[in-house]
Amino acid sequence: MNLSEHLSKEILAQYGVAIPTGRLATSAEEAEASCREIDSAKYVVKAQIGAGGRGLVGGIKFAATPSAVRAEAGKLIGKRLVTDQTGASGEMVNSVYVEEAIDIAHSYYLSLAFNQHDGQPVLLCSDKGGVEFEQAARMDPAIVSHLTLPSDGGFDESAVGSFLEKVGISGNARDGVMAIAKGAAKAFFDNDATLVEINPLAVRKDGSAVAVDAKISLDGNALFRHPEFDDSTGDGQLEEQERIAQENDINFVKMSGNIGVIVNGAGLGLATNDMVVDAGGKPANFMDIRTTTTSLQIAKGINMLLQDPNVTVVLVNVHGGGMTACDTVAEGFAIAYSRSNRKPPVVVRLAGTNAEWAVNVLRNRRLNFDSFDTMGEAVGRAVEIARAGRA
Amino acid sequence: MAILVGPDTRVIVQGMTGRSGTFYTDLAIRYGSTYVGGVRPGKGGSTHIGLPIFNTVKEAAEATQANASMVMVPASKAGAALIEAIEAEIPLVVCVTERVPVHDISKVKAALQGSSTVLVGPNSQGVLTPGSCKIGVMATTDATPGSIGIASRSASLTSEILAQTSAVGLGQSTTVGVGGDPVHGIGFRQCLELFKDDPETKGVILIGEVGGTEEEDAADYLNSVDYGKPVVALIVGRHAPKERRMGHAGTLSLFGLQSAEEKIDRLASAGVIIADNADDVAAAMQAALEG
């Protein structure tokens, strides 16, 4: 669960991390008015979206006066920003964050995350912080230094101090960066975060350090320990369909094609998606029915797909395993299909546990469908129907 | 022989008295595996589906000579259950529980350092040696004892490939679900090491996907040894939109931002045969074994 910039900073501030003075605004007028509460000679207006990369596509604007803030906010709010981390349709900007502009003497990158190799928390730091950090780090991972932290949340100041020295942060700046690292680490452990990222971490000419941009991702699996973060804490960028799917225990990602795809299991879903695209088709979605999903929940998920005007054919690829039997999916499918007034052609490939039974469930409901034994054949037929428009 | 589990495996279940614990323990026993007890704090001394229940893993291990534990406790208690099993020095711990907080697994990984326990999972469908032992929740209908080792990040694709390898007559030595979470126990690399030393295993299939570092670690290992057995990989997610997480949490990482294509290149240059798609995996293995 990705938190917005302003929420991430609010949390970090509670842990003693220095942040610029800022206000959230949902309209150009509000943005202008918020300048009165910000003691600064110039301002920054930042689009609040969940994805990163906004700095490179005009999502961060400097403004010298409150009226310039108003103008920039007006241009950003209500616009969709497309960055290299959003989809092609981008993300809607519903609000902006107006901040004092910081005179940056040097930009660092600092984050806390998990090292996948040993599963231990790690502090990452680089003296090449800023909007182009990610691209630079991808080109040359050696610009980032790592320090493994104890998994129980302990923070050894002398170890972190010599680590920061190694990164090239010394003197006045070191104390400020240390305070930020300490607060960020505590926020990481206390809140079950999977990522706390500060970029840029700015050091001013006087050596004081401040978190100019921040991003926190929380572990959705740990929310039972954090009733303070309810669903509204997220970045709110879920499409309506994705929200319905989530409520029904289905992993759903909306895509731009016309083939509605229903599978059980993430791996099988990715495999099916690959095969559809390889065959020249365009999936309308990724829908993975979780193992604990009931047939009624499946019906709700499938109904959503049937109602999608972009979907011209539905491909059901289920391998009944130890937890999801084919007939559960077939039952859910049959319920949704018989109730729906929109009935696109259906191609199924059912294998594994209770596959034959599942085919009978569909037949008994007098559903019109093509059934195949292999994924390749089913995918091929679905793509063919999608191309023809109608079966 | 096989790897990790076999006829000599004696399994206890942490969380056996719950609904899924009961259901899957029963199925595994019907399959012919040796289950010797369960752990449920406060219920020690009682029995459940014919097996003795103990208050702690240590007591259960001492009384039953168990050498493996299947962990099916709820996610909020899974981390503590795993650490208890590690401290009781259970040689093999298989965690089926999904949605375990990553901070908890991080502490489990710290407890594993210097211990002799092998952890599989969390969020794993389990380990299966067809015909002798099942620890986990996978279907066994299509499993047949045979010569192919399977290590997989995906439960659904394991079912698929298992059925394929049975259909072409190869069968499986052991299947291992390494789990779909970003931080987990045993990985492809350790599976490859174990399968290399297993005389029953004639070839290994890796089922990987976009994200994480499993495939890169496997490629590095294969480059460092003369493996001597064909390795076939199916890597899915070639056409997954980069910006969106599809399913497994393991697909997002700061350390492993490599795409499916990059993984495929790394594995191919380490001598791994890449299956074009999910339908072709067993055929690719068959061709490699015959060639």
Side-chain angles (χ1 to χ4, degrees), chain A residues 66-84:
Chain A
S67 59
V69 166
R70 179 191 177 113
E72 295 296 355
K75 279 184 246 166
L76 284 171
I77 293 171
K79 182 181 160 185
R80 295 190 81 89
L81 268 190
V82 181
T83 83
D84 62 359

Side-chain angles (χ1 to χ4, degrees), chain A residues 108-191:
Chain A
Y108 296 94
Y109 171 91
L110 184 141
S111 71
L112 291 113
F114 286 102
N115 181 343
Q116 289 204 353
H117 288 288
D118 60 7
Q120 297 309 293
V122 63
L123 177 67
L124 296 109
C125 195
S126 170
D127 69 347
K128 308 244 178 333
V131 288
E132 274 147 11
F133 168 77
E134 275 180 35
Q135 284 168 355
R138 217 167 289 161
M139 299 290 285
D140 179 13
I143 66 168
V144 195
S145 304
H146 314 173
L147 174 72
T148 300
L149 301 179
S151 59
D152 63 5
F155 192 84
D156 177 350
E157 287 205 21
S158 74
V160 175
S162 38
F163 170 72
L164 294 179
E165 296 266 357
K166 204 180 75 189
V167 177
I169 306 171
S170 52
N172 269 355
R174 208 197 73 159
D175 292 345
V177 175
M178 171 74 88
I180 288 180
K182 194 174 177 177
K186 188 139 178 30
F188 177 76
F189 288 105
D190 276 7
N191 296 292

